[in-house]
Amino acid sequence: MSGTLRAWLAPGRPGTPEVITDPAERRALVIELLIVFAVTLGLSALQSLLSLLDALMRPEPLADQAVAINVPRAELGLLDMAQQLAGVLRLCAWGSLGVYLLWRGGIALRSVGLDRSRPLRDALGGVGLAALIGVPGLGLYLIAHALGLSLTVQPSTLDDAWWRLPVLVLAAFGNSFAEEVLMIAYLLTRLRQLGWSENRALWASSVLRGAYHLYQGFGGFVGNVVMGLVYGRTWQRTGRIWPLVAGHALIDVVAFVGYAALRGRVGWLP
């Protein structure tokens, strides 16, 4: 095995941040993790599991059931727009909470890739990651749906209003910012401080990412675990978070906007 491949498959722990050895500080950090994920994506994972169990107990197969991601939230159009924007604000607040706790804990944000030193390279990296994950991910979803392992995922059922496109783009950014900051920059950094190995932390993060997508079915779980492994390892090796945010956002923009534009117009889309 070459040194480069070994570095990707079994990377060593970086020198910073230092492992916390004081029992009281370690306990406080564990409590912090439990609270953060109890009010953010950890709670979403529990709700997704319950949603999947409910779908499995219904008489119709998973593929005959549908789940929508961006749905109308009010009868009046402008109120619906306001509700959608409030949802985006909540996602950005989740990600910002992770950023704040890292900064408050003495972690330099540039050390987790939250700086603006390489905007062009980060953007190009995001495009590459979107292509690496997005195309195979769509194929995996279609296969899982055909095998009856996934629900029919409707990325958007919003009405065709003038604000739909910008709101879907903002929702894509909100999702990507919250997920990548919390699941990668925040969680993996905190697990380093607890002394976890890079691979153990990567698997924990990736399985949790898959878990809060269980509402889509087993295909959504597997696809997002794979995405978590690729994205997490990329961050562990490069220390850059913005390419992950950009790549995730691009995938979601294509899914949200593309589905809204193609729904009912192509036969291969469930």
Side-chain angles (χ1 to χ4, degrees):
M1 183 184 299
S2 69
T4 301
L5 181 58
R6 185 182 298 109
W8 276 91
L9 295 180
R13 186 191 180 281
T16 56
E18 296 181 357
V19 176
I20 295 175
T21 57
D22 179 74
E25 291 187 25
R26 290 178 64 86
R27 185 164 55 251
L29 193 56
V30 171
I31 292 172
E32 177 189 292
L33 285 166
L34 291 174
I35 292 173
V36 168
F37 286 100
V39 298
T40 61
L41 295 170
L43 180 60
S44 297
L46 175 59
Q47 292 173 321
S48 288
L49 175 60
L50 295 174
S51 177
L52 177 60
L53 292 175
D54 177 62
L56 290 170
M57 293 175 65
R58 297 186 180 189
E60 60 268 31
L62 287 181
D64 292 341
Q65 302 178 47
V67 59
I69 299 176
N70 296 286
V71 299
R73 300 182 184 276
E75 291 295 326
L76 184 64
L78 290 179
L79 285 179
D80 190 12
M81 179 185 71
Q83 287 272 31
Q84 303 297 329
L85 293 176
V88 173
L89 181 60
R90 180 181 64 243
L91 290 167
C92 291
W94 284 3
S96 298
L97 174 62
V99 173
Y100 171 76
L101 289 172
L102 289 177
W103 172 76
R104 189 70 177 83
I107 303 296
L109 296 185
R110 65 179 178 278
S111 71
V112 297
L114 282 164
D115 61 73
R116 296 174 291 177
S117 62
R118 327 183 331 189
L120 181 57
R121 290 179 63 184
D122 286 345
L124 292 176
V127 172
L129 286 170
L132 179 64
I133 295 297
V135 176
L138 176 59
L140 176 62
Y141 162 68
L142 293 174
I143 292 171
H145 186 271
L147 294 175
L149 299 175
S150 286
L151 289 79
T152 298
V153 179
Q154 300 174 328
S156 173
T157 58
L158 296 178
D159 296 333
D160 188 10
W162 63 267
W163 49 263
R164 182 176 66 176
L165 176 60
V167 161
L168 288 176
V169 172
L170 289 173
F173 173 77
N175 283 326
S176 62
F177 181 72
E179 291 190 40
E180 303 311 327
V181 169
L182 285 176
M183 299 307 304
I184 303 296
Y186 172 74
L187 179 57
L188 293 184
T189 297
R190 287 308 198 211
L191 293 181
R192 279 176 175 172
Q193 292 180 284
L194 290 173
W196 286 39
S197 70
E198 296 292 274
N199 280 345
R200 183 186 176 195
L202 178 65
W203 275 103
S205 171
S206 301
V207 170
L208 179 55
R209 183 191 292 259
Y212 59 75
H213 288 90
L214 276 170
Y215 70 93
Q216 300 176 6
F218 298 105
F221 172 79
V222 173
N224 279 279
V225 168
V226 173
M227 180 178 180
L229 291 172
V230 173
Y231 273 38
R233 182 63 93 223
T234 299
W235 179 82
Q236 288 175 331
R237 293 290 296 153
T238 67
R240 302 299 301 171
I241 197 67
W242 288 121
L244 312 186
V245 174
H248 190 155
L250 183 56
I251 291 172
D252 281 1
V253 166
V254 172
F256 296 168
V257 177
Y259 183 87
L262 296 176
R263 186 173 64 168
R265 293 186 172 92
V266 295
W268 55 268
L269 196 64

